[in-house]
Amino acid sequence: TVKGVFLDTWEAWLTIGVACTLLVGLAVRVAATDLLALFCLGILVLVQNITGSDALPTPEQAVAGFGNQGLITIALLFAVVAGLECTGGTELATGWFLNQAKNVTAAQTRLFVPVAVLSGFLNNTPVVVALMPVVNDLAKRISASTSRLLLPLSYAAILGGMCTLIGTSTNLIIADLNTQAIAGGSISEPLHFFSPAAVGLPATIIGLIYMMIASRWLLPERRPAVSVSDDPRQYTVEMQVDPTGPLVGRSIEDAGLRHLPGLYIAEIQREDGVIAAAKPNERLRPDDVLILVGALESVVDLRKIRGLTIPDDQARKLEVPAWRRTLVEAVVSTRCGLLGKTIREGQFRSHYNAAVVAVARGDKRLTGKLGDVRLEVGDVLLLEASPSFLHRRRESPDFFLVSAVEQGTVRRPEKAWISITILLAMILAATTTGISILTAALLAAVAMVAFRCCTTGEARRSVDWSVLIVIGAAIGIGMAMQQSQAAQGIANGLLSLAGENPFFALAAVYLATMLCTELITNNAAAVLMFPIALETAMGLDCNPTSFVIAVMIAASASFLTPFGYQTNLMVYGVGGYRFFDYVRFGLPLSVIVFM
């Protein structure tokens, strides 16, 4: 029979109050997400210190979540993705498919379906992490907000992961508990690879259809505070079509050069003449020199397009390897020795050991090649240089201001296939061998740095510490929900309402598990609810497998809050979402999966 409710202790009520405080705080955005999570965890630790209660986590137990295997894995995966970003590996692997999308609906179709399929055979987290930068670039090309794509991306990965035993870590945990129950004689029916698919596959199909239809109404266009179009500077950049690259013979539109916001091709220079105001169907030829004008962010995005290089191999002649270079903005001062000279006449590269990538002169458009631009006071130069350039030239009288371009990680296209190979090796090792995803991610992160796909500094900067802090604090709060028996009390309370009806009992198990998932994360909810579901099935003389599958699906069906599932947290800040975005968009999806 189902046990009674365990909400008769003050610790349980305190923990529920703290969890509700976190929910309300996230909903009304009273403070930063990581600060809220740490504040709520701090309340529980403080009370435990004062009272010495065994029903609340000690400081050591509360911070144990920051050493959680899943959290460390996510941190390592950020470094793996840094290698993919710095080499353009993600664009190389997905661009041929996603670049054909012309609007939000086409982008969602091309993105969500493959993600759902992949998530059935790969761990959800690396799939979402690897595609987040791709989604950002895709949104720019179709002039859409990333908020229309990132949250559905997380949900598509969750849905796909429901269909197999290896789709999520939750399913693996449930399968292991089920095997232990078989050994103990409680269950006689083992779970097979596609056991969850009977429920997960229909839910995934209907869920994807729902997201592609409803996202236009239920997901708002969250825009960044400062957009590309707000940049008043008009950079002029000169790029050359690599004769051996993939852009030769492709039209301007197919090459992705028409969909970068705030950027346009001013002219194309060829041996047989100059083409001004080139049409979208104009085909690129080997060694074409493109003169483009646009805002800084779009100029930086040009470096992600394979097949475009800096003319005259200026960057390749720098006395520093490509993996050590960075992008720098420098403002020409009144004391610069090259004033009045063209960039070519002044031998800028030889003089400063830096290559001029683009030039901005207020909101004016410069004409002709960069090498022919005569430097004037106040010109803003976008340079490719070594990190030491910042220290050597920051106090130089030649420049008023020298600053690094944060979003301008230099690409290493020659190592793109290496980064993709490392990612595939990590996935295969984690899914087909006994190596854990943590071990595979650790080796992959080290390999990315060792093979110079990214530097150690780039790997460190790629880590989103806010996401890790929230996950670690949420695990600590989830531990308090378990120790105080608040979560079990809520679950048993729901089950007691079902009475002796097997159908209602199964529904109550699902709802209780889903509620626990939103409060204490998916893995903790699975471990907590499995014995309760098993006991309920045995008490009602029902098939335990149905209840086990219900726990498996419900523990993954986290669509209502940002911290119930790791991937939901990862897109929370990047997409500019608010707490109610999850509730508004996720509640119908939760109902679809439940039905």
Side-chain angles (χ1 to χ4, degrees):
T1 58
V2 180
K3 296 179 181 179
V5 181
F6 291 95
L7 292 180
D8 54 353
T9 63
W10 64 268
E11 291 93 345
W13 287 109
L14 172 67
T15 306
I16 291 175
V18 169
C20 291
T21 299
L22 179 58
L23 286 171
V24 173
L26 288 172
V28 300
R29 300 171 70 90
V30 296
T33 308
D34 49 355
L35 181 62
L36 277 172
L38 287 176
F39 172 74
C40 291
L41 182 63
I43 292 176
L44 296 174
V45 174
L46 177 63
V47 174
Q48 196 283 330
N49 270 342
I50 295 174
T51 63
S53 173
D54 293 333
L56 294 174
T58 63
E60 293 79 10
Q61 292 171 329
V63 299
F66 292 98
N68 178 269
Q69 177 173 322
L71 183 144
I72 297 174
T73 300
I74 291 175
L76 293 169
L77 288 172
F78 279 122
V80 173
V81 172
L84 289 168
E85 278 198 273
C86 292
T87 61
T90 45
E91 289 81 8
L92 177 62
T94 61
W96 62 274
F97 184 70
L98 294 179
N99 286 350
Q100 303 302 316
K102 305 301 181 185
N103 51 54
V104 174
T105 303
Q108 290 176 336
T109 304
R110 289 175 175 269
L111 182 66
F112 301 161
V113 175
V115 165
V117 173
L118 283 173
S119 296
F121 302 93
L122 306 175
N123 189 279
N124 294 347
T125 304
V127 172
V128 174
V129 170
L131 287 176
M132 282 174 62
V134 177
V135 168
N136 184 55
D137 294 338
L138 176 62
K140 289 179 182 178
R141 282 197 297 272
I142 61 176
S143 300
S145 170
T146 55
S147 64
R148 298 284 297 276
L149 298 172
L150 282 175
L151 186 57
L153 170 69
S154 174
Y155 287 175
I158 292 173
L159 289 169
M162 294 179 180
C163 298
T164 67
L165 286 187
I166 66 170
T168 67
S169 57
T170 305
N171 290 5
L172 289 171
I173 290 173
I174 293 292
D176 183 62
L177 293 173
N178 191 78
T179 302
Q180 295 176 24
I182 292 174
S186 302
I187 297 178
S188 59
E189 184 178 342
L191 293 175
H192 303 290
F193 187 84
F194 288 107
S195 291
V199 178
L201 186 59
T204 299
I205 295 172
I206 299 173
L208 292 179
I209 295 173
Y210 155 76
M211 289 194 295
M212 285 185 278
I213 294 175
S215 61
R216 69 185 68 182
W217 295 291
L218 299 182
L219 276 182
E221 292 269 344
R222 300 291 186 202
R223 295 286 183 180
V226 179
S227 66
V228 174
S229 59
D230 296 330
D231 190 350
R233 294 171 300 179
Q234 291 291 301
Y235 272 102
T236 298
V237 58
E238 180 182 346
M239 304 296 286
Q240 188 169 17
V241 177
D242 187 346
T244 62
L247 299 187
V248 176
R250 299 177 66 180
S251 67
I252 291 175
E253 184 165 10
D254 291 340
L257 297 174
R258 288 193 67 240
H259 303 294
L260 291 173
L263 184 82
Y264 65 93
I265 297 178
E267 59 186 51
I268 300 177
Q269 298 187 355
R270 290 175 177 163
E271 292 183 356
D272 56 354
V274 176
I275 300 176
K279 296 180 180 179
N281 59 357
E282 179 69 37
R283 297 201 173 273
L284 300 175
R285 299 179 185 177
D287 294 321
D288 274 356
V289 175
L290 310 181
I291 308 298
L292 304 103
V293 179
L296 174 62
E297 185 177 343
S298 293
V299 170
V300 171
D301 285 341
L302 277 175
R303 304 167 68 79
K304 302 175 184 178
I305 300 177
R306 294 174 58 81
L308 290 181
T309 61
I310 297 177
D312 302 324
D313 290 334
Q314 290 301 304
R316 297 182 185 179
K317 295 177 183 177
L318 294 178
E319 298 173 0
V320 61
W323 58 270
R324 290 188 56 196
R325 298 174 196 158
T326 186
L327 285 182
V328 176
E329 277 188 306
V331 181
V332 177
S333 77
T334 54
R335 300 171 63 183
C336 180
L338 302 185
L339 280 178
K341 297 181 181 179
T342 66
I343 294 173
R344 184 178 295 106
E345 289 173 351
Q347 298 181 328
F348 193 96
R349 178 189 57 78
S350 301
H351 195 73
Y352 296 104
N353 193 27
V356 179
V357 176
V359 180
R361 185 172 293 164
D363 57 357
K364 299 178 181 178
R365 181 173 95 71
L366 303 176
T367 59
K369 293 186 176 182
L370 287 186
D372 299 329
V373 172
R374 293 190 179 276
L375 294 180
E376 297 182 4
V377 176
D379 282 353
V380 184
L381 309 179
L382 183 63
L383 309 174
E384 183 173 317
S386 67
S388 62
F389 182 92
L390 286 168
H391 305 292
R392 288 187 288 106
R393 298 297 174 181
R394 189 159 275 164
E395 304 300 328
S396 171
D398 290 351
F399 303 106
F400 283 132
L401 177 68
V402 176
S403 61
V405 178
E406 294 296 331
Q407 70 267 41
T409 303
V410 176
R411 298 281 164 166
R412 306 169 184 88
E414 71 279 1
K415 295 184 181 292
W417 283 112
I418 296 177
S419 65
I420 293 174
T421 302
I422 292 172
L423 177 67
L424 292 176
M426 180 194 75
I427 293 172
L428 289 174
T431 55
T432 62
T433 69
I435 297 177
S436 68
I437 183 64
L438 171 61
T439 305
L442 174 60
L443 295 175
V446 172
M448 287 292 187
V449 176
F451 285 98
R452 299 301 183 188
C453 295
C454 65
T455 65
T456 52
E458 289 165 342
R460 290 192 201 100
R461 290 192 296 270
S462 69
V463 178
D464 191 333
W465 295 104
S466 175
V467 169
L468 301 183
I469 289 172
V470 173
I471 292 175
I475 292 173
I477 295 172
M479 183 177 295
M481 293 287 290
Q482 290 178 279
Q483 283 188 224
S484 66
Q485 295 187 319
Q488 190 169 0
I490 294 172
N492 287 334
L494 287 175
L495 291 175
S496 66
L497 297 176
E500 300 297 320
N501 187 302
F503 178 79
F504 289 152
L506 184 64
V509 166
Y510 182 94
L511 292 174
T513 306
M514 187 177 71
L515 178 62
C516 289
T517 293
E518 303 294 357
L519 293 176
I520 62 174
T521 74
N522 54 327
N523 289 341
V527 173
L528 172 68
M529 287 302 301
F530 181 85
I532 297 176
L534 190 60
E535 181 181 340
T536 302
M538 294 173 63
L540 297 175
D541 196 24
C542 297
N543 180 9
T545 302
S546 300
F547 285 77
V548 171
I549 295 295
V551 172
M552 185 177 288
I553 298 297
S556 296
S558 174
F559 307 115
L560 296 177
T561 68
F563 50 85
Y565 204 89
Q566 294 169 346
T567 56
N568 287 354
L569 265 175
M570 290 160 57
V571 303
Y572 182 69
V574 179
Y577 296 110
R578 299 176 183 175
F579 181 83
F580 282 117
D581 292 339
Y582 287 76
V583 177
R584 181 172 53 248
F585 189 59
L587 182 59
L589 188 56
S590 296
V591 174
I592 289 172
V593 178
F594 172 70
M595 298 300 291

